[in-house]
Amino acid sequence: MNDFQDTIAQLLGVERVTLSHFASGDLSSVMRADTHDNRHFIAKGGPAPALEAEMLRLIAAAGAPAPKVIAANDKVLIITQVDGHSGFSGAQADLGRALATLHAATGARYGFGDDYAFGKVAIINDKTDSWVAFWRDHRLLNNIGDIPPAIARRLEKLAGNLADLLPDSPPAALLHGDLWSGNVMSSSGRVTAFIDPASYYGHCEVDLAMLNLFGSLDDAFYGNYPALEPGYRERQAIYSLWPALVHLRLFGSGYRSMVEGFLSRCGY
């Protein structure tokens, strides 16, 4: 067995496992691990498997759907395989209920304590008492040295006025942190799991902005999610900037127009 296989077998307490390809993402591959006694698990690497395990446990503890964590260390995360397919088409009503449950779990401060990463892009999660300061310093200005100067100048202008655009003390909701449609599993009109989290505590609207980034939430979702504060649509552009900037840094100039579009929607 190779090292990855051997690590999985050790964590499962078996002599050997058989691995087969399960799925590929932009940042990591996911394998199916089968044991000799006909048990089946999902195994993945990633930037910090043990930390991802902690995030999944927090999501489950909040009462939201998540795979069960079987084992984890600094090399691999092993979880149960969940029913369904990626995406939330036909399950928006249940998505509203599930996300409301997740966001009802709150923390005392914004952030997470432990940092994370999307590939080469660090996700700084230093805990703060000011949501404006957290978003300004750890989701916007932290990108300045890695983006084109013209975009950096516009981003700095937006950051300088952020206190007029975002609430400073919204409830510190437990966020999924990377909630695009591919990280929602669903089946027969219900959400079966939130997967691949990059969790921290922050304004609940961050997850909603991500869900709207490459898709669209409909009335069935909003009918089962708590009413949003006035100005939600305007704030959505500010929160969408973070994943757009991540895509620009990871995948290049093809995402420049997305970043510029959100800056224009913000008035910068």
Side-chain angles (χ1 to χ4, degrees):
M1 292 189 291
N2 60 37
D3 288 344
F4 192 64
Q5 256 181 313
D6 188 53
T7 298
I8 294 169
Q10 290 177 7
L11 287 173
L12 290 174
V14 298
E15 184 177 336
R16 65 183 182 278
V17 295
T18 301
L19 297 183
S20 56
H21 177 77
F22 186 78
S24 294
D26 293 319
L27 303 176
S28 64
S29 293
V30 181
M31 307 295 290
R32 173 170 156 156
D34 299 318
T35 66
H36 68 282
D37 55 352
N38 203 35
R39 291 181 295 154
H40 314 291
F41 303 96
I42 299 300
K44 59 176 294 190
L51 183 55
E52 183 176 348
E54 179 185 348
M55 295 171 181
L56 287 172
R57 291 186 181 108
L58 284 171
I59 291 171
K68 181 179 179 180
V69 175
I70 303 301
N73 63 14
D74 60 354
K75 294 181 180 179
V76 63
L77 166 67
I78 303 173
I79 57 177
T80 55
Q81 186 171 339
V82 297
D83 294 332
H85 56 84
S86 62
F88 50 81
S89 177
Q92 291 225 24
D94 196 51
L95 177 61
R97 287 188 287 266
L99 199 57
T101 298
L102 176 65
H103 291 165
T106 57
R109 305 176 74 194
Y110 308 109
F112 200 67
D114 293 298
D115 296 335
Y116 204 53
F118 292 140
K120 67 180 181 181
V121 177
I123 303 175
I124 305 302
N125 286 326
D126 291 346
K127 290 185 178 180
T128 70
D129 294 314
S130 164
W131 175 243
V132 169
F134 180 89
W135 198 257
R136 180 192 65 221
D137 297 339
H138 303 320
R139 296 295 182 266
L140 298 183
L141 292 182
N142 60 299
N143 298 283
I144 291 297
D146 298 287
I147 58 177
I151 295 179
R153 288 192 292 271
R154 294 171 67 183
L155 196 63
E156 286 177 316
K157 290 180 181 178
L158 170 62
N161 293 314
L162 208 60
D164 297 326
L165 303 170
L166 296 183
D168 198 45
S169 55
L174 177 60
L175 304 179
H176 177 282
D178 189 23
L179 199 59
W180 66 291
S181 61
N183 286 342
V184 179
M185 299 292 292
S186 65
S187 177
S188 302
R190 67 185 182 91
V191 173
T192 55
F194 293 134
I195 62 172
D196 296 347
S199 294
Y200 57 99
Y201 292 92
H203 193 186
C204 63
E205 292 179 10
V206 171
D207 276 346
L208 274 63
M210 188 68 188
L211 284 167
N212 279 299
L213 189 66
F214 298 115
S216 180
L217 297 173
D218 62 18
D219 290 342
F221 173 88
Y222 290 110
N224 286 302
Y225 189 84
L228 297 165
E229 296 291 331
Y232 158 65
R233 295 295 180 186
E234 291 75 15
R235 292 188 294 273
Q236 183 175 307
I238 299 173
Y239 292 143
S240 297
L241 267 171
W242 161 238
L245 287 163
V246 169
H247 279 74
L248 176 63
R249 292 178 59 185
L250 286 176
F251 307 120
S253 60
Y255 286 94
R256 177 169 181 155
S257 62
M258 175 185 281
V259 173
E260 292 178 326
F262 286 130
L263 282 167
S264 295
R265 280 178 54 185
C266 295
Y268 293 87

